[in-house]
């Protein structure tokens, strides 16, 4: 179920890839990575990002909690896969680094884990190279776009770190609901996972149109009002994005409930607008 029905096209979430040229910095238009940074209490944002965040918070006063819950889902999912023996992670659309980072989470389980961070925003590029310096030779930061998976897979910075003959976990959190149907997110995910061997995984979150429906609609509308495309999807549509991948227990569930470490209250359940899933390639 698309929340953008009847609306005209919006600018893409990310700038188009320009090989060999730096991505221009646009501080007058909100960017979702910087909006999330503001919501999480960071400092790498501009007036347009703060204005967008305030609009979003008026529509959904729980959005800061949702951002934190997404980071907590990432922590649980990465730690679970590292405990299962996965030693390579590719974090796509990583956003501005938030502690703990993916490599810190995974290396708390297995110090030899390698992590490639992928993003396109110029602020993310510059700050992540500094903030992720503690990762040493086992981390890389790659300019890339989920909508250009073939180019990403050819990038030498990725292939020098990640061995695609061994299992890989692709991490795509807080991103897929910003890709509209015409941007073919299912196709791009399939291309990425086709490059991975069996026993690889996808870690993903996705805005849900069928959990707390009115809150989800208000949130998606506020994103679009801020010129950030947003398409929440229902359970069946999210499962379609996974293709032949097999969700591991407990399957596709509200993000906060995926292998929750404590009881989830009715109050928290009543504000869930995102799914979380870890899915395996057989």
């Amino acid at each position: 179920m698309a929340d953008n029905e009847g609306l005209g096209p919006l600018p893409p979430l990310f700038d188009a890839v320009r090989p060999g040229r730096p991505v221009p910095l646009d501080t007058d238009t909100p960017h979702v990575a910087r909006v999330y940074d503001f919501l999480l209490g960071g400092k790498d944002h501009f007036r347009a990002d703060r204005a967008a965040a305030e609009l979003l918070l008026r529509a959904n006063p729980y959005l800061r909690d949702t951002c934190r819950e997404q980071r907590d889902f990432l922590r649980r999912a990465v730690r679970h896969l590292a405990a299962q023996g996965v030693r390579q992670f590719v974090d796509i659309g990583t956003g501005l680094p938030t502690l703990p980072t993916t490599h810190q989470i995974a290396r708390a389980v297995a110090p030899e884990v390698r992590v490639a961070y992928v993003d396109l925003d110029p602020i993310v590029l510059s700050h992540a190279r500094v903030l992720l310096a503690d990762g040493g030779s086992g981390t890389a930061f790659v300019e890339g776009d989920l909508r250009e998976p073939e180019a990403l897979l050819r990038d030498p910075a990725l292939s020098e770190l990640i061995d695609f003959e061994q299992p890989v976990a692709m991490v795509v959190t807080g991103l897929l609901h910003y890709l509209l149907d015409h941007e073919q997110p299912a196709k791009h995910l399939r291309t990425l996972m086709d490059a991975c061997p069996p026993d690889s995984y996808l870690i993903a979150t996705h805005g849900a149109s069928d959990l707390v429906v009115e809150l989800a609609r208000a949130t998606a509308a506020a994103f679009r009002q801020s010129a950030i495309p947003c398409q929440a999807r229902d359970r069946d549509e999210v499962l379609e994005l996974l293709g032949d991948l097999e969700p591991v227990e407990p399957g596709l569930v509200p993000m906060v409930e995926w292998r929750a470490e404590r009881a989830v209250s009715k109050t928290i359940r009543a504000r869930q607008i995102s799914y979380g899933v870890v899915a395996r390639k057989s």
Side-chain angles (χ1 to χ4, degrees):
M1 183 171 89
D3 283 338
N4 60 316
E5 196 170 307
L7 297 176
L10 288 168
L13 173 62
F14 302 114
D15 294 311
V17 176
R18 296 175 175 85
R21 295 176 55 190
V23 179
L25 175 59
D26 179 4
T27 63
D28 295 325
T29 302
H31 187 284
V32 70
R34 301 193 299 262
V35 172
Y36 270 81
D37 179 71
F38 175 81
L39 292 170
L40 287 166
K43 57 183 176 57
D44 297 302
H45 41 73
F46 297 100
R47 180 179 299 175
D49 307 308
R50 294 189 289 272
E54 295 297 343
L55 178 64
L56 287 161
L57 288 169
R58 286 197 293 273
N60 181 351
Y62 312 110
L63 198 56
R64 282 195 170 97
D65 293 327
T66 300
C67 294
R68 296 186 191 103
E69 289 160 359
Q70 180 168 273
R71 294 300 303 182
D72 204 38
F73 163 80
L74 174 68
R75 178 184 58 81
R76 298 193 305 274
V78 168
R79 189 174 62 188
H80 170 72
L81 291 187
Q84 296 299 308
V86 178
R87 296 294 180 263
Q88 304 185 110
F89 293 81
V90 180
D91 191 341
I92 301 174
T94 182
L96 287 153
T98 302
L99 298 178
T101 62
T102 301
H103 70 267
Q104 289 171 338
I105 297 165
R107 289 179 189 169
V109 178
E112 68 273 25
V113 164
R114 291 175 284 178
V115 178
Y117 295 94
V118 180
D119 213 296
L120 194 61
D121 181 78
I123 289 183
V124 174
L125 288 171
S126 60
H127 283 248
R129 289 189 177 110
V130 174
L131 297 173
L132 302 180
D134 69 307
S137 60
T139 59
F141 200 87
V142 183
E143 288 191 44
D145 188 338
L146 177 62
R147 299 169 308 164
E148 299 283 347
E150 296 89 352
L152 173 59
L153 292 166
R154 290 193 303 267
D155 193 296
L158 182 67
S159 58
E160 286 170 10
L161 181 69
I162 302 298
D163 178 3
F164 283 94
E165 297 298 317
Q166 300 296 322
V168 179
M170 292 285 179
V171 180
V172 187
T173 57
L175 177 60
L176 291 170
H177 43 266
Y178 300 119
L179 299 184
L180 306 185
D181 284 343
H182 71 84
E183 295 180 279
Q184 301 181 291
K187 176 184 176 182
H188 302 327
L189 288 177
R190 185 169 62 251
T191 299
L192 290 172
M193 297 308 299
D194 283 350
C196 300
D199 294 322
S200 292
Y201 291 85
L202 173 69
I203 298 173
T205 62
H206 199 298
S209 63
D210 57 346
L211 290 177
V212 184
V213 175
E214 291 305 318
L215 188 61
R217 286 177 178 167
T219 306
F223 271 113
R224 294 194 301 269
Q225 190 175 344
S226 301
I228 298 175
C230 185
Q231 182 174 346
R233 294 178 171 94
D234 65 27
R235 178 182 175 82
D236 289 342
E237 290 171 320
V238 176
L239 287 172
E240 284 181 15
L241 295 181
L242 302 181
D244 295 333
L245 302 179
E246 302 171 0
V248 304
E249 288 296 330
L252 178 70
V253 295
M255 184 173 63
V256 75
E257 296 183 22
W258 194 90
R259 295 181 182 255
E261 296 164 336
R262 60 186 64 85
V264 179
S265 70
K266 291 182 179 180
T267 300
I268 293 175
R269 281 197 181 96
R271 66 184 189 220
Q272 293 306 301
I273 58 169
S274 291
Y275 284 117
V277 67
V278 175
R280 174 179 171 271
K281 178 178 179 179
S282 59

